[in-house]
Amino acid sequence: MEDETDKQVGPEDGKSAKARDKVEQSARREALGTGLRRAYQKVLSEPIPDEFSQLLDQLSKSEPESEPE
C-alpha cells in the first residue's frame, strides 16, 4: 500500500502545475475583459441626459478661451 509520504513531486510536476495555473489565470482575465467590455459598451451606447449636456454647455461658455502663445 502506497503512503502519501512515499509520493514525491518532481520538478516536472511543479512546472506543469505552474503552466496550468498560468493558463487558468489567462482564461479568467480574458473572461473578465470580455464581461467588462460588454458592460461598458452598453453604457457608451446610452444617450447623454439633457441636464448633463446643458451643464457641459454652461461650463464651456464660462471658461475663458486660451490665448495662443
Side-chain angles (χ1 to χ4, degrees), residues 52-64:
F52 191 69
S53 293
Q54 291 170 356
L55 288 172
L56 288 173
D57 287 341
Q58 289 174 4
L59 180 63
S60 66
K61 289 177 185 177
S62 68
E63 289 181 348

Side-chain angles (χ1 to χ4, degrees), residues 18-29:
K18 286 182 182 181
R20 277 194 310 268
D21 288 347
K22 284 185 178 185
V23 169
E24 289 173 4
Q25 185 179 23
S26 178
R28 284 191 296 267
R29 284 183 179 175

Side-chain angles (χ1 to χ4, degrees), residues 6-58:
D6 292 338
K7 293 181 182 179
Q8 294 182 2
V9 176
E12 292 301 317
D13 293 335
K15 286 182 184 178
S16 63
K18 286 182 182 181
R20 277 194 310 268
D21 288 347
K22 284 185 178 185
V23 169
E24 289 173 4
Q25 185 179 23
S26 178
R28 284 191 296 267
R29 284 183 179 175
E30 182 68 29
L32 178 62
T34 300
L36 287 172
R37 280 190 289 280
R38 268 193 212 126
Y40 283 114
Q41 189 59 42
K42 289 178 183 178
V43 171
L44 289 173
S45 65
E46 293 178 3
I48 297 174
D50 290 336
E51 297 85 11
F52 191 69
S53 293
Q54 291 170 356
L55 288 172
L56 288 173
D57 287 341
Q58 289 174 4

